[in-house]
Amino acid sequence: MADRIVRSTAVFLRPFRLPGFDGELPAGRYQLDTEIRAPAGLSDPAAWRASVVIHLHPPADMPNLARALTVRLADLDAAVARDEASGQPLDRFFLQAMLDDPMIRMVMEADGVTEADLRRLYEP
């Protein structure tokens, strides 16, 4: 299987921290590029590796500065889980969790289902 990059968005309702970045990142919407790699010669999905590139917001004093941070998928999942406890309605959290999952994105792509289709089903 060839490497796959899945684009998605994560929304943080509160400031958060991630390994590899000094300081706190502001709440907001972040563009994610999740790369799923199958190690050479191994087709077993349990052996696959995933990393996430998070496109960071530019600092206020440098609005044209593009920054990105690469983290392990597990670290991003932990940050999202911590943010989950911030009082977000459960149905909205469930939908965003589905849309942020790279495996669900691949199934959606294979089935021809768009993000807009899911939002029409799950959002009031």
Side-chain angles (χ1 to χ4, degrees), residues 1-123:
M1 175 179 180
D3 292 354
R4 298 284 312 252
I5 294 180
V6 177
R7 286 218 138 123
S8 60
T9 303
V11 177
F12 288 91
L13 299 178
R14 299 181 302 168
F16 63 102
R17 293 184 176 275
L18 287 170
F21 188 81
D22 289 335
E24 198 169 64
L25 293 163
R29 180 176 287 254
Y30 289 83
Q31 179 72 38
L32 308 174
D33 294 330
T34 304
E35 181 180 12
I36 301 169
R37 295 179 305 279
L42 295 175
S43 60
D44 178 19
W48 294 358
R49 302 285 183 257
S51 63
V52 181
V53 175
I54 302 171
H55 298 274
L56 302 176
H57 302 162
D61 60 340
M62 301 178 87
N64 294 324
L65 179 64
R67 303 181 305 162
L69 175 65
T70 301
V71 298
R72 294 179 323 133
L73 184 57
D75 292 334
L76 178 64
D77 284 345
V80 169
R82 285 189 300 272
D83 192 64
E84 171 189 351
S86 67
Q88 180 176 338
L90 186 57
D91 56 349
R92 174 167 269 155
F93 172 77
F94 173 72
L95 174 61
Q96 195 59 50
M98 283 191 344
L99 293 172
D100 289 342
D101 187 308
M103 292 301 203
I104 288 178
R105 286 288 189 162
M106 282 193 286
V107 171
M108 287 170 58
E109 183 180 322
D111 290 345
V113 175
T114 67
E115 182 174 329
D117 294 334
L118 286 183
R119 289 198 184 280
R120 277 193 299 275
L121 287 171
Y122 287 99
E123 288 183 342

